[in-house]
């Protein structure tokens, strides 16, 4: 179920990038996406470290698991509207085929 949710978020956020890249510009999408991904990685890593530690034993409550999925989806959305598609767009603009 988690893969379906994150896949759906990825598709929707990619369309956000397609429709907003010319309005907001590449730089702002790269910077915003990078900061958002960094924060989400810190939160997800901290949650896992606090719950499982070095022993690897522990479990999440339902609310904690939902919060973790939310931050993973936020990370996926940030990637999908910034570094994912724009990583292909910018090189093609720098070195066009003609």
């Amino acid at each position: 179920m988690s893969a379906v949710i994150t896949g759906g978020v990825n598709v929707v956020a990619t369309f956000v990038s397609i429709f907003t890249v010319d309005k907001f510009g590449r730089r702002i999408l790269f910077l915003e996406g990078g900061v958002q991904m960094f924060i989400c990685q810190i939160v997800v890593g901290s949650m896992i470290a606090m719950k499982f530690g070095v022993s690897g034993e522990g479990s999440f409550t339902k609310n904690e698991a939902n919060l973790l999925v939310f931050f993973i989806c936020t990370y996926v959305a940030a990637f999908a509207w910034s570094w994912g598609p724009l990583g292909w767009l910018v090189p093609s603009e720098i070195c066009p085929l003609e």
Side-chain angles (χ1 to χ4, degrees), residues 17-76:
S17 177
I18 291 169
F19 294 119
T20 61
V21 69
D22 290 326
K23 182 177 181 180
F24 297 119
R26 287 102 175 109
R27 183 172 189 252
I28 198 74
L29 287 176
F30 272 132
L31 291 173
E32 191 278 330
V35 168
Q36 187 175 338
M37 288 189 300
F38 178 75
I39 291 169
C40 289
Q41 283 182 351
I42 297 298
V43 171
V44 168
S46 298
M47 286 179 69
I48 291 172
M50 286 189 297
K51 219 31 144 163
F52 296 101
V54 293
S55 67
E57 296 179 15
S59 63
F60 285 119
T61 65
K62 184 174 174 90
N63 288 336
E64 291 170 335
N66 288 338
L67 185 64
L68 188 67
V69 169
F70 170 78
F71 279 106
I72 290 171
C73 287
T74 305
Y75 175 88
V76 169

Side-chain angles (χ1 to χ4, degrees), residues 78-95:
F79 179 80
W81 69 50
S82 62
W83 289 91
L86 297 180
W88 295 95
L89 175 67
V90 172
S92 68
E93 291 176 343
I94 293 172
C95 302

